[in-house]
Amino acid sequence: MYKYERYLHKSQHLSKEEFEQLAQLYYSNVKHSILIEKFDIDVSSGNLYKCFPPQKSDTECPYCKVNLVNLPISKAQSRSDHRKTVCLSCDHEYENNKCSCGGCTERKNEEAHKKKIAEQHKSESILDFLKKTRKTPVHLKDLTLRDRLYLAALLKTHLSGDLKIIKPVFEYRQALAPTREYTIEMLKYLSHHGAIQLSERAHMQYSLEDNKLRYDPLHSYYDFNVISNESSKMAIIKSLLHPTPLEVHEVEDGYKLWLEIALHESMQYLKLLLEQCGLIRLALGIINEKTSIEISTYLEHFSTSQLFKILWSIANNAAAQKQKYNKSISADALINNITKYCNRAIENNWEIGGYSRTYHNKQTIVSSILFDQILKIGENGFIQKASRDYLEKNIENVGAACQKK
Ligand SMILES: [Zn+2]
Ligand SMILES: [Zn+2]
Protein backbone atom coordinates (compact mmCIF):
# COMPACT_ATOMS: atom_id res chain seq x y z
CA MET A 1 0.00 0.00 0.00
CA TYR A 2 1.27 3.46 -0.86
CA LYS A 3 2.11 5.96 1.84
CA TYR A 4 -0.74 8.48 1.32
CA GLU A 5 -3.37 5.78 1.06
CA ARG A 6 -2.08 4.17 4.25
CA TYR A 7 -3.21 7.15 6.33
CA LEU A 8 -6.66 7.14 4.76
CA HIS A 9 -7.06 3.50 5.73
CA LYS A 10 -6.55 4.41 9.34
CA SER A 11 -9.69 6.56 9.28
CA GLN A 12 -11.88 4.61 6.90
CA HIS A 13 -14.21 3.52 9.73
CA LEU A 14 -15.44 7.12 10.20
CA SER A 15 -18.69 8.35 8.67
CA LYS A 16 -19.01 11.64 6.79
CA GLU A 17 -20.53 13.31 9.85
CA GLU A 18 -17.76 12.01 12.10
CA PHE A 19 -15.15 13.40 9.68
CA GLU A 20 -16.81 16.82 9.79
CA GLN A 21 -16.89 16.76 13.56
CA LEU A 22 -13.25 15.63 13.72
CA ALA A 23 -12.13 18.36 11.36
CA GLN A 24 -14.00 21.06 13.25
CA LEU A 25 -12.46 19.95 16.58
CA TYR A 26 -8.99 19.59 15.03
CA TYR A 27 -8.95 23.12 13.62
CA SER A 28 -10.36 24.59 16.82
CA ASN A 29 -7.26 23.45 18.69
CA VAL A 30 -8.56 20.44 20.63
CA LYS A 31 -5.64 18.33 21.78
CA HIS A 32 -4.67 15.72 19.17
CA SER A 33 -4.32 12.91 21.69
CA ILE A 34 -7.95 13.44 22.81
CA LEU A 35 -9.16 13.30 19.19
CA ILE A 36 -7.11 10.21 18.39
CA GLU A 37 -8.65 8.41 21.32
CA LYS A 38 -12.20 9.69 20.75
CA PHE A 39 -12.27 8.70 17.08
CA ASP A 40 -10.13 5.58 17.53
CA ILE A 41 -7.48 6.34 14.92
CA ASP A 42 -4.14 4.55 15.12
CA VAL A 43 -1.79 7.42 14.14
CA SER A 44 0.80 9.69 15.74
CA SER A 45 -0.50 13.15 16.63
CA GLY A 46 1.73 14.88 14.02
CA ASN A 47 0.15 12.84 11.21
CA LEU A 48 -3.49 13.08 12.31
CA TYR A 49 -4.42 15.60 9.59
CA LYS A 50 -3.21 13.15 6.91
CA CYS A 51 -6.12 10.88 7.78
CA PHE A 52 -8.67 13.52 6.67
CA PRO A 53 -10.30 12.82 3.30
CA PRO A 54 -8.40 14.58 0.49
CA GLN A 55 -10.00 16.71 -2.26
CA LYS A 56 -10.11 15.41 -5.77
CA SER A 57 -8.20 17.59 -8.28
CA ASP A 58 -8.76 18.00 -12.04
CA THR A 59 -5.27 16.82 -12.93
CA GLU A 60 -4.63 13.24 -13.98
CA CYS A 61 -1.72 11.09 -12.84
CA PRO A 62 0.55 10.68 -15.91
CA TYR A 63 1.21 7.05 -14.94
CA CYS A 64 -2.11 5.68 -13.59
CA LYS A 65 -4.52 7.99 -15.50
CA VAL A 66 -6.62 8.53 -12.33
CA ASN A 67 -7.34 11.95 -10.80
CA LEU A 68 -4.77 13.28 -8.37
CA VAL A 69 -5.91 14.54 -4.96
CA ASN A 70 -5.02 17.63 -2.90
CA LEU A 71 -3.86 16.49 0.50
CA PRO A 72 -5.29 18.16 3.64
CA ILE A 73 -3.08 20.66 5.42
CA SER A 74 -2.01 20.55 9.04
CA LYS A 75 -3.01 23.10 11.61
CA ALA A 76 0.51 24.51 11.63
CA GLN A 77 0.35 25.28 7.91
CA SER A 78 -1.54 28.38 6.86
CA ARG A 79 -4.38 28.07 4.35
CA SER A 80 -2.25 29.78 1.67
CA ASP A 81 0.54 27.18 2.01
CA HIS A 82 1.22 24.92 -0.92
CA ARG A 83 -0.96 21.85 -0.80
CA LYS A 84 0.61 18.65 -2.04
CA THR A 85 -1.21 17.16 -5.01
CA VAL A 86 -0.59 13.42 -5.18
CA CYS A 87 -1.75 10.18 -6.74
CA LEU A 88 -3.25 7.79 -4.19
CA SER A 89 -2.53 4.81 -6.44
CA CYS A 90 1.22 5.31 -6.96
CA ASP A 91 2.32 8.19 -4.66
CA HIS A 92 3.32 10.39 -7.63
CA GLU A 93 3.55 14.01 -6.54
CA TYR A 94 2.51 16.70 -8.99
CA GLU A 95 5.19 19.20 -10.13
CA ASN A 96 7.87 17.91 -7.81
CA ASN A 97 11.18 17.21 -9.56
CA LYS A 98 12.32 15.20 -6.60
CA CYS A 99 9.31 12.86 -6.74
CA SER A 100 10.53 9.30 -6.19
CA CYS A 101 7.43 7.38 -7.26
CA GLY A 102 7.95 4.31 -9.46
CA GLY A 103 6.94 6.15 -12.66
CA CYS A 104 9.21 9.12 -12.06
CA THR A 105 12.16 6.91 -11.06
CA GLU A 106 11.80 4.91 -14.26
CA ARG A 107 11.51 8.09 -16.37
CA LYS A 108 14.63 9.59 -14.73
CA ASN A 109 16.59 6.38 -15.30
CA GLU A 110 15.58 6.38 -18.95
CA GLU A 111 16.59 10.04 -19.34
CA ALA A 112 19.96 9.41 -17.68
CA HIS A 113 20.54 6.45 -19.98
CA LYS A 114 19.67 8.51 -23.08
CA LYS A 115 21.99 11.31 -21.88
CA LYS A 116 24.81 8.82 -21.38
CA ILE A 117 24.35 7.39 -24.87
CA ALA A 118 24.23 10.91 -26.39
CA GLU A 119 27.42 11.88 -24.55
CA GLN A 120 29.17 8.72 -25.69
CA HIS A 121 28.14 9.49 -29.24
CA LYS A 122 29.31 13.11 -28.94
CA SER A 123 32.64 12.00 -27.48
CA GLU A 124 33.22 9.44 -30.24
CA SER A 125 32.37 11.82 -33.06
CA ILE A 126 34.60 14.62 -31.69
CA LEU A 127 37.55 12.25 -31.16
CA ASP A 128 37.00 10.89 -34.63
CA PHE A 129 36.93 14.43 -36.09
CA LEU A 130 40.16 15.34 -34.24
CA LYS A 131 41.86 12.22 -35.58
CA LYS A 132 40.72 12.89 -39.14
CA THR A 133 41.82 16.53 -39.11
CA ARG A 134 45.15 15.91 -37.36
CA LYS A 135 47.93 17.74 -39.20
CA THR A 136 51.29 16.22 -39.99
CA PRO A 137 53.92 17.52 -37.56
CA VAL A 138 56.00 20.51 -38.60
CA HIS A 139 59.76 20.08 -38.82
CA LEU A 140 61.83 22.26 -36.54
CA LYS A 141 63.93 23.48 -39.47
CA ASP A 142 60.78 24.58 -41.38
CA LEU A 143 59.47 26.94 -38.71
CA THR A 144 59.01 30.54 -39.80
CA LEU A 145 60.06 33.54 -37.73
CA ARG A 146 56.42 34.00 -36.69
CA ASP A 147 56.16 30.32 -35.65
CA ARG A 148 59.32 30.69 -33.58
CA LEU A 149 58.07 33.81 -31.81
CA TYR A 150 54.58 32.51 -31.05
CA LEU A 151 55.81 29.06 -29.98
CA ALA A 152 58.47 30.51 -27.69
CA ALA A 153 55.88 32.72 -25.96
CA LEU A 154 53.26 29.99 -25.70
CA LEU A 155 55.62 27.26 -24.49
CA LYS A 156 57.28 29.56 -22.01
CA THR A 157 53.99 30.41 -20.36
CA HIS A 158 51.71 27.44 -20.89
CA LEU A 159 53.62 24.20 -21.49
CA SER A 160 52.90 21.71 -18.68
CA GLY A 161 55.76 20.65 -16.41
CA ASP A 162 55.86 17.14 -17.95
CA LEU A 163 56.07 18.72 -21.47
CA LYS A 164 52.94 16.82 -22.49
CA ILE A 165 50.38 19.51 -23.10
CA ILE A 166 49.85 23.24 -23.63
CA LYS A 167 47.45 24.46 -20.98
CA PRO A 168 44.53 26.83 -21.65
CA VAL A 169 45.78 30.35 -22.13
CA PHE A 170 43.25 31.99 -19.81
CA GLU A 171 44.75 30.14 -16.82
CA TYR A 172 47.96 32.15 -16.67
CA ARG A 173 48.34 35.35 -14.69
CA GLN A 174 51.04 37.05 -16.75
CA ALA A 175 49.66 38.07 -20.11
CA LEU A 176 50.90 36.21 -23.14
CA ALA A 177 50.03 38.99 -25.58
CA PRO A 178 48.87 42.61 -25.36
CA THR A 179 45.26 41.99 -26.40
CA ARG A 180 42.85 39.08 -26.25
CA GLU A 181 42.46 39.45 -30.02
CA TYR A 182 46.20 39.03 -30.63
CA THR A 183 46.32 36.00 -28.32
CA ILE A 184 43.59 34.34 -30.40
CA GLU A 185 45.42 35.29 -33.59
CA MET A 186 48.57 33.58 -32.29
CA LEU A 187 46.73 30.36 -31.39
CA LYS A 188 44.90 30.29 -34.72
CA TYR A 189 48.12 30.87 -36.65
CA LEU A 190 49.96 28.06 -34.88
CA SER A 191 47.00 25.66 -35.21
CA HIS A 192 46.56 26.50 -38.86
CA HIS A 193 50.23 25.81 -39.57
CA GLY A 194 50.11 22.60 -37.57
CA ALA A 195 52.75 23.57 -34.98
CA ILE A 196 50.10 22.98 -32.29
CA GLN A 197 46.90 20.90 -32.40
CA LEU A 198 43.69 21.07 -30.50
CA SER A 199 44.05 18.37 -27.84
CA GLU A 200 41.75 15.47 -27.00
CA ARG A 201 41.90 16.53 -23.38
CA ALA A 202 38.64 18.17 -22.26
CA HIS A 203 37.20 17.47 -25.72
CA MET A 204 33.65 17.34 -24.32
CA GLN A 205 33.83 21.15 -24.11
CA TYR A 206 33.85 21.29 -27.92
CA SER A 207 30.79 20.91 -30.08
CA LEU A 208 30.51 19.47 -33.54
CA GLU A 209 27.92 21.01 -35.85
CA ASP A 210 27.65 20.44 -39.59
CA ASN A 211 31.08 18.85 -39.61
CA LYS A 212 32.55 22.00 -38.06
CA LEU A 213 34.20 21.91 -34.66
CA ARG A 214 33.35 24.79 -32.35
CA TYR A 215 35.58 25.56 -29.38
CA ASP A 216 36.89 28.45 -27.34
CA PRO A 217 40.56 28.84 -28.32
CA LEU A 218 41.44 30.50 -25.01
CA HIS A 219 39.94 27.71 -22.87
CA SER A 220 41.29 24.73 -24.82
CA TYR A 221 44.28 22.43 -24.40
CA TYR A 222 46.73 21.98 -27.28
CA ASP A 223 49.24 19.31 -28.25
CA PHE A 224 52.70 20.32 -29.30
CA ASN A 225 53.32 19.19 -32.90
CA VAL A 226 56.90 20.01 -33.88
CA ILE A 227 59.40 17.25 -34.71
CA SER A 228 63.01 16.94 -35.73
CA ASN A 229 64.96 14.01 -37.11
CA GLU A 230 68.05 15.00 -35.19
CA SER A 231 66.69 16.08 -31.80
CA SER A 232 64.70 14.63 -28.93
CA LYS A 233 61.47 16.29 -27.82
CA MET A 234 63.30 17.87 -24.93
CA ALA A 235 66.00 19.31 -27.22
CA ILE A 236 63.31 20.67 -29.57
CA ILE A 237 61.52 22.43 -26.74
CA LYS A 238 64.80 23.79 -25.41
CA SER A 239 65.63 25.32 -28.77
CA LEU A 240 62.09 26.69 -29.16
CA LEU A 241 62.26 28.37 -25.77
CA HIS A 242 65.40 30.16 -26.94
CA PRO A 243 64.52 31.27 -30.47
CA THR A 244 67.36 32.15 -32.81
CA PRO A 245 67.85 35.87 -33.50
CA LEU A 246 66.65 37.60 -36.64
CA GLU A 247 68.63 36.97 -39.80
CA VAL A 248 69.07 39.36 -42.74
CA HIS A 249 66.58 37.53 -44.98
CA GLU A 250 63.94 37.78 -42.23
CA VAL A 251 64.04 41.56 -41.77
CA GLU A 252 60.71 42.12 -43.54
CA ASP A 253 58.97 39.56 -41.30
CA GLY A 254 60.63 40.98 -38.20
CA TYR A 255 59.46 44.47 -39.16
CA LYS A 256 55.87 43.24 -39.63
CA LEU A 257 55.88 41.58 -36.20
CA TRP A 258 57.27 44.77 -34.64
CA LEU A 259 54.38 46.74 -36.17
CA GLU A 260 51.83 44.20 -34.99
CA ILE A 261 53.04 44.16 -31.40
CA ALA A 262 53.24 47.97 -31.38
CA LEU A 263 49.68 48.16 -32.70
CA HIS A 264 48.24 45.80 -30.10
CA GLU A 265 50.23 47.40 -27.27
CA SER A 266 48.82 50.77 -28.32
CA MET A 267 45.24 49.51 -28.53
CA GLN A 268 45.51 47.80 -25.16
CA TYR A 269 46.92 51.00 -23.64
CA LEU A 270 44.06 53.05 -25.11
CA LYS A 271 41.55 50.60 -23.64
CA LEU A 272 43.24 50.81 -20.25
CA LEU A 273 43.29 54.63 -20.33
CA LEU A 274 39.59 54.79 -21.18
CA GLU A 275 38.82 52.42 -18.30
CA GLN A 276 40.92 54.50 -15.92
CA CYS A 277 39.11 57.66 -17.09
CA GLY A 278 35.76 56.02 -16.32
CA LEU A 279 34.79 55.78 -20.01
CA ILE A 280 33.91 52.12 -19.59
CA ARG A 281 31.48 51.74 -22.47
CA LEU A 282 33.93 53.30 -24.88
CA ALA A 283 36.71 51.03 -23.53
CA LEU A 284 34.63 47.91 -24.12
CA GLY A 285 34.27 48.39 -27.84
CA ILE A 286 37.46 50.19 -28.76
CA ILE A 287 39.59 47.19 -29.78
CA ASN A 288 38.27 46.42 -33.25
CA GLU A 289 39.31 46.35 -36.90
CA LYS A 290 38.51 50.02 -37.47
CA THR A 291 40.66 51.27 -34.57
CA SER A 292 43.36 48.91 -35.70
CA ILE A 293 43.42 50.34 -39.25
CA GLU A 294 43.55 53.94 -37.97
CA ILE A 295 46.29 53.39 -35.39
CA SER A 296 48.41 51.24 -37.70
CA THR A 297 48.61 54.19 -40.14
CA TYR A 298 50.61 56.15 -37.57
CA LEU A 299 52.99 53.39 -36.54
CA GLU A 300 55.18 54.34 -39.49
CA HIS A 301 55.60 57.80 -37.94
CA PHE A 302 55.62 57.23 -34.20
CA SER A 303 57.09 54.78 -31.74
CA THR A 304 54.81 52.91 -29.34
CA SER A 305 56.07 55.13 -26.55
CA GLN A 306 55.13 58.29 -28.51
CA LEU A 307 51.75 56.84 -29.38
CA PHE A 308 51.19 56.18 -25.69
CA LYS A 309 51.66 59.90 -25.04
CA ILE A 310 49.26 60.86 -27.86
CA LEU A 311 46.64 58.35 -26.69
CA TRP A 312 46.99 59.60 -23.12
CA SER A 313 46.14 63.16 -24.26
CA ILE A 314 43.20 62.01 -26.35
CA ALA A 315 41.72 59.82 -23.59
CA ASN A 316 42.10 62.54 -20.97
CA ASN A 317 40.50 65.14 -23.26
CA ALA A 318 37.59 62.75 -23.79
CA ALA A 319 37.25 62.37 -20.02
CA ALA A 320 37.36 66.16 -19.50
CA GLN A 321 34.73 66.62 -22.17
CA LYS A 322 32.50 64.06 -20.51
CA GLN A 323 32.80 65.89 -17.21
CA LYS A 324 32.02 69.27 -18.81
CA TYR A 325 29.03 68.25 -20.95
CA ASN A 326 28.00 65.12 -19.02
CA LYS A 327 28.03 63.18 -22.27
CA SER A 328 30.50 60.58 -23.46
CA ILE A 329 31.95 60.96 -26.96
CA SER A 330 31.50 58.20 -29.51
CA ALA A 331 34.20 55.74 -30.57
CA ASP A 332 34.25 57.34 -34.03
CA ALA A 333 34.80 60.82 -32.56
CA LEU A 334 37.59 59.47 -30.38
CA ILE A 335 39.35 57.85 -33.35
CA ASN A 336 38.84 61.05 -35.31
CA ASN A 337 40.60 63.00 -32.54
CA ILE A 338 43.55 60.60 -32.69
CA THR A 339 43.76 61.03 -36.47
CA LYS A 340 43.66 64.83 -36.23
CA TYR A 341 46.30 64.94 -33.49
CA CYS A 342 48.65 62.60 -35.36
CA ASN A 343 48.24 64.43 -38.69
CA ARG A 344 48.95 67.82 -37.08
CA ALA A 345 52.01 66.40 -35.36
CA ILE A 346 53.33 64.97 -38.66
CA GLU A 347 52.62 68.14 -40.70
CA ASN A 348 54.21 70.44 -38.13
CA ASN A 349 57.08 68.14 -37.32
CA TRP A 350 56.19 68.20 -33.63
CA GLU A 351 58.66 66.68 -31.29
CA ILE A 352 56.67 64.18 -29.29
CA GLY A 353 58.18 62.88 -26.09
CA GLY A 354 57.37 59.37 -25.01
CA TYR A 355 55.56 57.69 -22.14
CA SER A 356 56.73 54.57 -20.39
CA ARG A 357 54.82 51.43 -19.66
CA THR A 358 52.87 51.52 -16.40
CA TYR A 359 52.34 48.98 -13.65
CA HIS A 360 48.95 48.07 -15.11
CA ASN A 361 50.35 47.89 -18.60
CA LYS A 362 53.40 45.67 -18.20
CA GLN A 363 55.26 44.28 -21.18
CA THR A 364 53.77 40.95 -22.28
CA ILE A 365 55.69 37.73 -22.94
CA VAL A 366 55.38 37.81 -26.72
CA SER A 367 56.60 41.42 -26.77
CA SER A 368 59.65 40.75 -24.62
CA ILE A 369 60.62 37.64 -26.61
CA LEU A 370 60.32 39.56 -29.89
CA PHE A 371 62.32 42.60 -28.84
CA ASP A 372 64.85 41.04 -26.47
CA GLN A 373 65.55 37.59 -27.95
CA ILE A 374 64.64 37.75 -31.63
CA LEU A 375 65.10 41.35 -32.82
CA LYS A 376 67.70 41.92 -30.09
CA ILE A 377 66.77 45.59 -29.75
CA GLY A 378 65.34 45.46 -26.19
CA GLU A 379 63.58 48.60 -25.01
CA ASN A 380 64.22 50.27 -28.38
CA GLY A 381 61.34 48.21 -29.72
CA PHE A 382 59.18 50.46 -27.56
CA ILE A 383 60.94 53.82 -27.81
CA GLN A 384 61.96 53.72 -31.49
CA LYS A 385 59.47 53.65 -34.32
CA ALA A 386 59.42 50.40 -36.27
CA SER A 387 61.96 50.45 -39.08
CA ARG A 388 63.49 47.93 -41.48
CA ASP A 389 66.76 49.96 -41.66
CA TYR A 390 67.05 49.92 -37.92
CA LEU A 391 66.72 46.12 -37.89
CA GLU A 392 69.28 45.66 -40.67
CA LYS A 393 71.81 47.92 -38.94
CA ASN A 394 71.19 46.16 -35.67
CA ILE A 395 71.93 42.74 -37.21
CA GLU A 396 75.26 44.15 -38.47
CA ASN A 397 76.06 45.66 -35.06
CA VAL A 398 75.18 42.48 -33.19
CA GLY A 399 77.29 40.46 -35.67
CA ALA A 400 80.26 42.80 -35.27
CA ALA A 401 80.01 42.70 -31.49
CA CYS A 402 79.99 38.89 -31.59
CA GLN A 403 83.07 38.78 -33.83
CA LYS A 404 84.96 41.13 -31.51
CA LYS A 405 84.29 38.77 -28.62
ZN1 LIG B 1 -0.33 7.38 -10.20
ZN1 LIG C 1 6.29 10.75 -9.57
Side-chain angles (χ1 to χ4, degrees):
M1 193 186 297
Y2 289 95
K3 64 177 173 184
Y4 299 116
E5 202 188 358
R6 208 167 57 227
Y7 287 109
L8 297 178
H9 259 262
K10 292 177 191 284
S11 60
Q12 64 181 352
H13 58 283
L14 298 183
S15 67
K16 197 180 163 207
E17 288 73 30
E18 280 171 322
F19 264 126
E20 277 169 15
Q21 201 193 353
L22 168 64
Q24 196 210 350
L25 294 170
Y26 174 82
Y27 291 112
S28 51
N29 285 337
V30 176
K31 252 182 147 186
H32 295 181
S33 52
I34 295 175
L35 295 177
I36 287 170
E37 204 185 323
K38 178 175 162 65
F39 290 93
D40 188 25
I41 308 173
D42 178 20
V43 73
S44 65
S45 62
N47 286 324
L48 177 59
Y49 74 99
K50 293 181 185 171
C51 304
F52 297 176
Q55 285 169 356
K56 203 166 163 185
S57 88
D58 295 334
T59 321
E60 253 188 14
C61 170
Y63 309 113
C64 318
K65 306 295 172 202
V66 298
N67 283 67
L68 301 176
V69 298
N70 296 317
L71 291 181
I73 54 170
S74 75
K75 207 160 45 188
Q77 288 173 298
S78 76
R79 298 262 162 201
S80 59
D81 269 357
H82 176 68
R83 254 170 203 256
K84 274 188 186 175
T85 303
V86 302
C87 173
L88 292 179
S89 305
C90 72
D91 274 359
H92 171 63
E93 192 181 330
Y94 182 62
E95 287 193 335
N96 178 5
N97 286 336
K98 290 182 185 148
C99 174
S100 58
C101 78
C104 283
T105 309
E106 200 177 311
R107 180 179 53 81
K108 280 179 202 161
N109 286 345
E110 245 171 62
E111 280 169 4
H113 181 68
K114 272 189 199 157
K115 197 176 162 203
K116 202 176 149 197
I117 298 279
E119 282 188 348
Q120 254 171 12
H121 178 71
K122 180 185 169 184
S123 169
E124 279 164 17
S125 43
I126 290 175
L127 291 177
D128 192 44
F129 183 90
L130 288 174
K131 248 181 219 126
K132 271 196 301 200
T133 51
R134 198 156 270 280
K135 294 208 160 107
T136 40
V138 182
H139 275 268
L140 184 63
K141 60 179 171 40
D142 295 335
L143 293 175
T144 63
L145 180 71
R146 190 176 288 270
D147 286 321
R148 282 177 1 240
L149 169 65
Y150 291 174
L151 276 173
L154 189 62
L155 296 183
K156 191 173 169 128
T157 49
H158 293 89
L159 183 66
S160 64
D162 56 9
L163 314 180
K164 280 190 179 147
I165 206 146
I166 297 163
K167 291 184 279 186
V169 164
F170 86 99
E171 276 183 7
Y172 199 67
R173 270 181 295 118
Q174 190 174 4
L176 174 63
T179 59
R180 186 179 179 275
E181 289 70 13
Y182 200 66
T183 311
I184 294 175
E185 239 177 89
M186 288 169 63
L187 292 169
K188 283 194 171 163
Y189 178 88
L190 290 174
S191 305
H192 185 74
H193 284 80
I196 60 171
Q197 306 249 31
L198 201 55
S199 168
E200 287 180 4
R201 188 179 303 186
H203 68 282
M204 288 301 274
Q205 286 174 18
Y206 315 152
S207 68
L208 191 60
E209 286 162 37
D210 301 330
N211 211 27
K212 226 181 160 185
L213 195 67
R214 291 181 201 284
Y215 62 95
D216 179 345
L218 299 179
H219 283 75
S220 301
Y221 287 88
Y222 295 89
D223 294 325
F224 173 72
N225 201 34
V226 178
I227 53 161
S228 161
N229 294 337
E230 299 83 36
S231 323
S232 64
K233 185 175 181 185
M234 203 168 300
I236 298 173
I237 288 170
K238 200 171 165 190
S239 77
L240 288 174
L241 284 172
H242 303 279
T244 47
L246 189 75
E247 290 181 32
V248 181
H249 68 276
E250 295 173 323
V251 164
E252 186 58 31
D253 290 340
Y255 171 67
K256 272 190 196 149
L257 286 167
W258 187 349
L259 286 176
E260 278 173 28
I261 298 291
L263 170 67
H264 283 270
E265 287 185 336
S266 302
M267 288 204 291
Q268 182 61 20
Y269 185 59
L270 177 61
K271 183 177 180 226
L272 181 78
L273 285 170
L274 294 174
E275 281 167 1
Q276 286 173 344
C277 291
L279 302 167
I280 305 297
R281 258 182 54 193
L282 207 51
L284 279 174
I286 203 67
I287 299 185
N288 58 38
E289 301 270 319
K290 206 166 162 190
T291 312
S292 143
I293 291 173
E294 295 289 1
I295 292 184
S296 61
T297 317
Y298 299 104
L299 288 168
E300 287 166 28
H301 302 276
F302 304 106
S303 68
T304 315
S305 156
Q306 285 173 317
L307 265 173
F308 272 27
K309 186 176 183 339
I310 295 171
L311 296 174
W312 187 90
S313 303
I314 300 293
N316 279 280
N317 275 342
Q321 226 175 314
K322 189 191 170 188
Q323 212 168 30
K324 195 169 169 190
Y325 302 110
N326 200 20
K327 196 177 161 212
S328 192
I329 69 166
S330 69
D332 282 339
L334 185 90
I335 300 291
N336 198 29
N337 289 347
I338 298 174
T339 313
K340 276 199 276 187
Y341 190 122
C342 289
N343 286 342
R344 273 211 308 276
I346 296 166
E347 277 162 28
N348 298 307
N349 258 332
W350 285 352
E351 275 212 10
I352 307 230
Y355 273 9
S356 6
R357 298 183 199 276
T358 60
Y359 174 76
H360 296 289
N361 195 31
K362 282 184 191 154
Q363 188 175 24
T364 57
I365 299 292
V366 72
S367 166
S368 68
I369 292 181
L370 177 69
F371 297 123
D372 299 342
Q373 295 187 44
I374 294 181
L375 303 186
K376 295 241 171 233
I377 56 175
E379 201 51 15
N380 285 332
F382 181 68
I383 50 183
Q384 299 275 347
K385 69 175 183 190
S387 140
R388 296 177 185 87
D389 290 350
Y390 188 85
L391 290 179
E392 269 164 16
K393 281 201 188 97
N394 191 62
I395 293 175
E396 278 172 32
N397 292 343
V398 171
C402 282
Q403 273 179 359
K404 258 191 208 163
K405 276 182 196 167

